[in-house]
Amino acid sequence: SCMILITGATGFLGAQLTKQLLAHESKVRCIKRASSVIPEILKPLHNQIDWVDADILDVADLTDAFEGITHVYH
């Protein structure tokens, strides 16, 4: 089975992509900054999104975030 990681899901396009992917997938993982606000469009889908606070430039953060991931949307 596929496990998807999405970067930028708190932005307009990333949130739209995440919503569309969740129409076909039961769960996705999304990386966000600790300071980012989850968009209203994704709040109803909270039980399908595994939010991970990560700095895209921090290898240790990314190592944890990528565990079990088969596909990435960046």
Side-chain angles (χ1 to χ4, degrees), residues 10-45:
T10 59
F12 179 78
L13 289 175
Q16 296 293 327
L17 171 67
T18 301
K19 184 178 178 186
Q20 288 186 23
L21 286 170
L22 285 172
H24 305 285
E25 302 295 330
S26 58
K27 193 158 184 77
V28 297
R29 183 174 301 151
C30 297
I31 294 176
K32 70 176 190 65
R33 292 182 186 94
S35 61
S36 292
V37 176
I38 295 171
E40 290 298 320
I41 192 175
L42 296 182
K43 286 183 180 177
L45 303 169

Side-chain angles (χ1 to χ4, degrees):
S1 84
C2 114
M3 183 60 185
I4 296 171
L5 176 75
I6 303 160
T7 68
T10 59
F12 179 78
L13 289 175
Q16 296 293 327
L17 171 67
T18 301
K19 184 178 178 186
Q20 288 186 23
L21 286 170
L22 285 172
H24 305 285
E25 302 295 330
S26 58
K27 193 158 184 77
V28 297
R29 183 174 301 151
C30 297
I31 294 176
K32 70 176 190 65
R33 292 182 186 94
S35 61
S36 292
V37 176
I38 295 171
E40 290 298 320
I41 192 175
L42 296 182
K43 286 183 180 177
L45 303 169
H46 69 91
N47 60 344
Q48 291 177 266
I49 301 172
D50 175 18
W51 288 103
V52 176
D53 287 346
D55 180 338
I56 199 86
L57 301 177
D58 186 318
V59 174
D61 283 359
L62 294 178
T63 299
D64 293 341
F66 273 80
E67 188 172 332
I69 295 300
T70 58
H71 295 74
V72 177
Y73 288 83
H74 176 66

